[in-house]
Amino acid sequence: KAGVTQTPRYLIKTRGQQVTLSCSPISGHRSVSWYQQTPGQGLQFLFEYFSETQRNKGNFPGRFSGRQFSNSRSEMNVSTLELGDSALYLCASTPSGVTDTQYFGPGTRLTVL
Amino acid sequence: GENVEQHPSTLSVQEGDSAVIKCTYSDSASNYFPWYKQELGKRPQLIIDIRSNVGEKKDQRIAVTLNKTAKHFSLHITETQPEDSAVYFCAASKGQAGTALIFGKGTTLSVSS
């Protein structure tokens, strides 16, 4: 089975722009979670989607949003980018949403200039 | 909300020695505790996990112990090898719908030969 994939792998944006990141879960996995990883804050939970519904949300401003499609692929969007949004954005998928073993993608490295 | 503290932040050992990383959590409702290993430039990978109905779990050179009363859990690596060098993250989850993992800040393990 193919693993979790994320596109693009690298992005450079300027302040004020917006960005959309994509995540394709392992085939058959219905839950997708997003995490932000930075050297200072570590891995922080952004949100989780299951069957196209956001089921849980972390403590991030409304500039961070996401969605999930009927094929379980997920996108996250960050509007009005700030320098502090520079990070590695990781998504993870789980088989059914009630199991907890999360399989991570390789991440998207976002740099905001 | 849940808070996970992880210690130490860095750990240096000689090849063949044992390494222990400790985590404490705040939410007594948490019942799933995975450990992830992240090598430089790579995605986090699950190395072992434990659920609250078990006190200890072992997989070859890796073991995890859980003390629910004290709300702490530990990762033990025996007979360390240079390839064990990486950043290790502990996490906690309530294991319910939403599957949000709350991570510790990570431990950088260096194994010198």
Side-chain angles (χ1 to χ4, degrees):
Chain A
K1 253 185 197 180
V4 179
T5 58
Q6 292 186 245
T7 57
R9 294 292 313 280
Y10 302 92
L11 265 180
I12 299 175
K13 293 285 187 179
T14 56
R15 278 180 299 173
Q17 287 187 310
Q18 75 166 18
V19 67
T20 300
L21 314 181
S22 180
C23 172
S24 293
I26 292 171
S27 177
H29 286 198
R30 294 168 61 195
S31 168
V32 174
S33 297
W34 289 89
Y35 296 85
Q36 181 195 65
Q37 185 174 26
T38 59
Q41 298 300 317
L43 279 154
Q44 292 185 287
F45 172 74
L46 280 156
F47 28 65
E48 186 255 356
Y49 286 87
F50 179 78
S51 292
E52 303 177 63
T53 300
Q54 185 182 88
R55 197 162 53 173
N56 200 351
K57 191 177 189 304
N59 189 26
F60 278 81
R63 299 185 297 107
F64 292 82
S65 63
R67 59 178 175 168
Q68 187 179 35
F69 302 94
S70 58
N71 62 358
S72 294
R73 188 178 70 85
S74 178
E75 289 181 347
M76 67 163 282
N77 184 76
V78 188
S79 62
T80 319
L81 284 166
E82 300 177 0
L83 295 178
D85 297 333
S86 295
L88 180 67
Y89 290 88
L90 292 157
C91 75
S93 72
T94 67
S96 67
V98 295
T99 57
D100 303 290
T101 302
Q102 301 207 5
Y103 299 88
F104 281 87
T108 294
R109 172 73 62 186
L110 172 64
T111 301
V112 182
L113 302 176
Chain B
E2 174 68 279
N3 183 50
V4 177
E5 300 278 342
Q6 182 172 347
H7 298 280
S9 56
T10 60
L11 180 59
S12 296
V13 299
Q14 292 285 320
E15 183 178 1
D17 286 350
S18 294
V20 180
I21 303 170
K22 299 182 179 182
C23 289
T24 59
Y25 60 99
S26 61
D27 191 340
S28 56
S30 291
N31 61 10
Y32 174 66
F33 308 92
W35 287 87
Y36 284 85
K37 174 184 180 182
Q38 187 176 29
E39 297 176 68
L40 191 62
K42 297 195 174 179
R43 72 189 75 188
Q45 298 228 323
L46 179 74
I47 55 171
I48 196 166
D49 57 11
I50 192 167
R51 298 181 191 271
S52 59
N53 58 345
V54 176
E56 184 174 358
K57 184 176 178 181
K58 191 173 181 181
D59 182 4
Q60 299 183 344
R61 297 185 297 109
I62 295 173
V64 58
T65 58
L66 171 65
N67 183 327
K68 285 210 72 181
T69 303
K71 289 192 280 188
H72 69 71
F73 56 112
S74 301
L75 177 71
H76 304 253
I77 305 174
T78 59
E79 300 171 19
T80 54
Q81 301 166 2
E83 51 266 37
D84 294 330
S85 297
V87 180
Y88 291 80
F89 293 95
C90 64
S93 159
K94 293 181 185 178
Q96 298 297 321
T99 61
L101 287 177
I102 306 302
F103 285 88
K105 290 287 179 71
T107 296
T108 301
L109 173 64
S110 299
V111 181
S112 54
S113 54

